[in-house]
Amino acid sequence: MKRFIYILSFLIALPILSSCDNEDDLVGIFIGKTWILTDIMQGTTSYFVWNTESTEEEKAESKELLGTGENYWIAFAGSVADGTISGTYTGKAVSTVGFSNVNWSATQKKKFYSDLYKFEINESEPLAKEFIYGLENADSYQGDYNNLSIYYTREGKKYSLLLRVRN
């Protein structure tokens, strides 16, 4: 019976002893890759395709621009101190002039900050405008080494920029 109790105790404790650190590997998630936009979501619905007031022609143009992989991208640089990563990022929506040296930070508690709002970026393409708005108003993230969601709020509703690593 004692042996059974020891084995049972060990089996109960095993998940606790073998659990991994739940804190994000901030450098592994953000640094050393280029992130490209794949979609903008409101909950589980593709926001841009279904919920904008853009014309069908504008939506088709945006989808074409999105599909090239040359537009709507960001690349982070930074370092970690005390559970926060911070640095600058560079990116491009659609215009031939991108944006660079944008200050940003992210914490292991999923908070995200970007000061892109300080830059004057003129984009006329609808998806590009929303991409920029999302980065300007970012407040949190969720991600791993291959996928990243950057969350923002617009008119009381939560949206996410869905990004993946460019191959």
Side-chain angles (χ1 to χ4, degrees), residues 49-87:
V49 174
W50 306 110
N51 297 325
T52 67
E53 299 193 19
S54 300
T55 66
E56 290 305 315
E57 293 80 23
E58 288 173 322
K59 289 178 185 179
E61 180 186 354
S62 292
K63 285 182 191 178
E64 186 177 321
L65 290 167
L66 183 64
T68 68
E70 297 301 315
N71 302 296
Y72 317 108
W73 61 267
I74 52 178
F76 298 97
S79 58
V80 177
D82 299 325
T84 298
I85 189 168
S86 60

Side-chain angles (χ1 to χ4, degrees), residues 95-164:
S95 69
T96 54
V97 178
F99 42 90
S100 61
N101 296 318
V102 180
N103 292 318
W104 73 283
S105 66
T107 69
Q108 290 178 330
K109 295 182 188 242
K110 311 285 189 204
K111 298 293 181 198
F112 187 91
Y113 167 80
S114 165
D115 75 355
L116 186 59
Y117 64 89
K118 293 181 178 178
F119 292 74
E120 188 171 321
I121 300 170
N122 295 315
E123 289 282 357
S124 58
E125 196 274 327
L127 183 57
K129 285 193 225 179
E130 191 66 21
F131 179 61
I132 297 300
Y133 183 88
L135 291 172
E136 288 174 339
N137 294 281
D139 57 27
S140 59
Y141 76 93
Q142 182 174 354
D144 58 32
Y145 299 134
N146 298 306
N147 300 289
L148 180 63
S149 296
I150 297 178
Y151 298 97
Y152 64 99
T153 303
R154 178 189 279 282
E155 299 171 358
K157 296 178 183 173
K158 199 74 165 170
Y159 296 88
S160 59
L161 302 173
L162 300 183
L163 303 133
R164 70 170 170 78

